[in-house]
Amino acid sequence: MTITTSRRAALGAGLATLAAPRLGWTQGSLAGRTITLVVPSPAGGGTDFSARLVADSFGRALGATMVVENRPGGNDVVGLQSVLRATPDGTTLLCGYCATMTARPAIGGIGDIVPTRDFQAVGQITDTPQLFVTHPTVPANTLQEFIALAKQKPGEMNYASAGNGSMHHMGTEYLKHRAGIDLVHVPYRGTGETIRDLIAGRIQFYMNSPPPLTPLVRDGKLRALCVSSNERHPGMPDIPSAAEQGMPDLNLNVWFSVFAPRGVPAPMVAMMSEKLREVLADQALRDRAFQAGALVAPSTAEALADRVARETENWRRIAQQANITAG
């Protein structure tokens, strides 16, 4: 399935501008106010990391105080709904995870919420290859060795995810399809719970954005197989790329971005987008992200809206090929 340029532009427009704003707006509308940046997942994961990376400086750039609030539940639906129910005045924003905004909608995994219709893109925070890891007791040091082991033991090893439609789920199912292996899916409610079972050896394979995993790899509690890209991660030069391991063009990067609910005035969204890009230009902030394994990648609102539309269509095609469903 392909998406035409005109259709992609139409879908992107839903995120970038939407309908006429319901509320008045002035340049100082957010000054002195408290802005809640909602993370629709538990603390400790990549979404939480990205939100806290920018919250303080982003709030200051807007002349406001920004607080991060974790509202997990229902494959992120609880958090998304809380943002959509809030008054669309710019004081409630969403830190969105790529799977929640593209992969889950592609398989009907977030109910009647349609990100391209219900949210406006503000800007991207990070864009990072996933890190593939195993427990050190698994007798595989590379992705090729893990695939060979999985072929010897079809259905005997498992992998973790943060639920149906997460990047861990969709990405691993796509890997299974590409490699011709059978792994058992074990969904979890959050990254912290997953990592506990990984460290305990109850999970054999996991892919996620680097920040929650790199300290455990450095400490020898997990073994890194590769990163899910054609090139090595600049912050982890000793870890091979998926392309080096015989899996080119997996395209499983994980990104986190800021979104506003529909109805927030378009000039306010444009101003927030500009301020976010200014915040992400700070070298100290970029260094903090890099040390955790994340790559800061600011974008315009329009570029993010286009990416959401494009990746939703791509995941829909992959889901059909690999028989991935929301159930």
Side-chain angles (χ1 to χ4, degrees):
M1 181 189 298
T2 58
I3 182 169
T4 65
T5 301
S6 60
R7 186 180 176 199
R8 186 163 62 242
L11 286 169
L15 274 166
T17 56
L18 290 176
R22 298 199 298 260
L23 299 175
W25 177 79
T26 62
Q27 186 70 32
S29 292
L30 295 175
R33 304 193 69 181
T34 298
I35 300 172
T36 301
L37 182 57
V38 173
V39 172
S41 56
T47 315
D48 186 67
F49 172 84
S50 298
R52 296 182 191 279
L53 178 71
V54 301
D56 286 345
S57 51
F58 190 23
R60 286 195 302 272
L62 297 171
T65 300
M66 185 171 289
V67 296
V68 175
E69 187 169 324
N70 297 85
R71 296 179 185 171
N75 275 345
D76 294 354
V77 170
V78 170
L80 268 63
Q81 287 177 335
S82 73
V83 176
L84 294 180
R85 286 195 298 265
T87 302
D89 60 0
T91 61
T92 304
L93 302 175
L94 173 74
C95 189
Y97 164 47
C98 54
T100 303
M101 307 306 286
T102 66
R104 284 176 176 146
I107 61 171
I110 56 173
D112 60 358
I113 297 173
V114 180
T116 50
R117 179 195 67 200
D118 298 332
F119 290 93
Q120 302 180 80
V122 174
Q124 191 169 271
I125 301 172
T126 60
D127 182 8
T128 312
Q130 294 197 77
L131 184 60
F132 294 5
V133 298
T134 65
H135 189 268
T137 57
V138 175
N141 293 305
T142 66
L143 179 62
Q144 291 174 326
E145 290 178 0
F146 181 81
I147 289 172
L149 182 66
K151 287 182 176 180
Q152 294 171 13
K153 301 180 177 182
E156 295 183 28
M157 295 195 295
N158 57 34
Y159 76 91
S161 85
N164 288 337
S166 64
M167 281 296 288
H168 330 108
H169 173 224
M170 299 287 279
T172 309
E173 289 297 321
Y174 182 46
L175 175 66
K176 286 170 54 179
H177 176 71
R178 285 273 301 267
I181 58 176
D182 180 18
L183 304 174
V184 178
H185 178 208
V186 182
Y188 285 80
R189 290 176 294 182
T191 301
E193 184 180 315
T194 304
I195 287 176
R196 284 194 294 272
D197 274 9
L198 266 172
I199 293 173
R202 289 187 282 270
I203 296 296
Q204 282 74 57
F205 180 84
Y206 185 52
M207 64 170 69
N208 199 354
S209 59
L213 300 178
T214 47
L216 301 171
V217 171
R218 290 171 186 151
D219 292 344
K221 295 179 180 178
L222 296 177
R223 177 184 295 135
L225 300 179
C226 68
V227 291
S228 65
S229 54
N230 286 345
E231 300 81 27
R232 295 194 178 199
H233 188 300
M236 297 177 282
D238 295 333
I239 299 175
S241 67
E244 291 176 83
Q245 293 292 305
M247 281 285 167
D249 302 320
L250 280 178
N251 299 321
L252 297 179
N253 273 26
V254 172
W255 52 260
F256 301 95
S257 301
V258 177
F259 295 86
R262 64 174 179 264
V264 174
M268 180 180 284
V269 173
M271 182 270 291
M272 290 191 291
S273 181
E274 180 181 354
K275 294 298 183 183
L276 180 60
R277 292 195 300 277
E278 290 176 4
V279 164
L280 293 173
D282 178 71
Q283 191 59 49
L285 182 148
R286 299 173 76 93
D287 288 345
R288 288 200 304 275
F290 188 79
Q291 289 165 6
L295 303 178
V296 168
S299 74
T300 63
E302 293 76 16
L304 175 58
D306 181 75
R307 183 172 193 173
V308 170
R310 178 166 31 87
E311 290 192 5
T312 300
E313 292 295 326
N314 186 53
W315 278 119
R316 187 172 288 116
R317 175 181 55 80
I318 289 173
Q320 291 173 345
Q321 291 176 346
N323 195 30
I324 304 171
T325 65

